[in-house]
C-alpha cells in the first residue's frame, strides 16, 4: 500500500509488515494461564473436595475443569497475540496455539513436580489421567480451540494513516 502513500500504524508508531515471532508474548500468556488456572483451581478444590485420593471425578468438577481451562486459555492466547503484535488473524492464532502448547507443557511440569515431592501415596501422571478420564481430553481440545480464538481476537488492529505529511503536527502557542 506504500504506492498510494498509506502506512499502517498503531499509537503513532509504525509497525513492520512482517513482524518476528515474540517469545515474550508466549511466556506472558503461559504465565497468565497458570495464574488463572491455579487461582480458580484452588476454588474448585474447595467446592468439589478434589484430592489425590479421589478415585473418580464428578461431573461438576469435570465441567468446571473444561470451562475454567477454556477461559484461561482464551485470555492467555489473546494476551500472547496482543503482546507479540500479531497483525493478522492467522499470526494471532499461531501465537495462541504456541501458548497452548507451552501451557500444557508447563502444567504437566508443575503436576509432575508437585506429585514427585508429595509425601502422600505415590501417584503418577498416568494414574491421575486415568482418574480424570475423558474430562482431560475434552479439556485439552476446548483449550486448543479457545487459545486459537483468543489469539485471533487479540491481534493488533492497525489504522491507516497517510505518510505524505498531510497531517500537521500540533503547533505550540506562545
Amino acid at each position: 500500500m506504500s504506492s498510494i502513500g498509506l502506512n499502517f500504524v498503531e499509537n503513532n508508531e509504525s509497525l513492520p509488515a512482517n513482524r518476528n515471532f515474540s517469545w515474550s508474548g508466549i511466556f506472558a500468556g503461559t504465565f497468565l494461564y497458570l495464574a488463572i488456572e491455579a487461582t480458580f483451581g484452588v476454588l474448585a478444590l474447595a467446592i468439589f473436595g478434589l484430592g489425590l485420593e479421589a478415585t473418580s471425578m464428578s461431573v461438576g468438577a469435570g465441567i468446571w475443569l473444561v470451562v475454567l481451562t477454556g477461559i484461561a486459555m482464551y485470555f492467555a492466547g489473546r494476551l500472547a497475540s496482543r503482546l507479540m503484535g500479531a497483525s493478522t488473524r492467522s499470526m494471532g492464532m499461531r501465537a495462541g496455539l504456541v501458548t497452548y502448547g507451552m501451557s500444557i507443557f508447563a502444567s504437566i511440569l508443575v503436576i509432575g513436580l508437585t506429585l514427585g515431592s508429595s509425601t502422600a501415596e505415590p501417584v503418577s501422571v498416568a494414574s491421575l489421567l486415568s482418574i480424570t478420564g475423558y474430562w482431560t481430553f475434552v479439556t485439552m481440545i476446548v483449550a486448543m480451540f479457545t487459545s486459537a480464538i483468543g489469539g485471533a481476537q487479540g491481534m493488533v488492529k492497525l489504522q491507516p494513516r497517510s505518510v505524505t505529511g498531510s497531517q500537521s503536527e500540533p503547533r505550540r502557542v506562545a
Side-chain angles (χ1 to χ4, degrees), residues 52 54-57 115 123-137:
L52 294 178
T55 57
S56 66
M57 186 174 206
L115 294 178
V123 177
S124 68
V125 174
S127 66
L128 185 63
L129 290 176
S130 70
I131 291 171
T132 59
Y134 291 106
W135 287 112
T136 303
F137 175 75

Side-chain angles (χ1 to χ4, degrees), residues 64-75:
W64 180 279
L65 180 67
V66 171
V67 172
L68 170 62
T69 304
I71 291 170
M73 283 309 308
Y74 171 81
F75 286 111

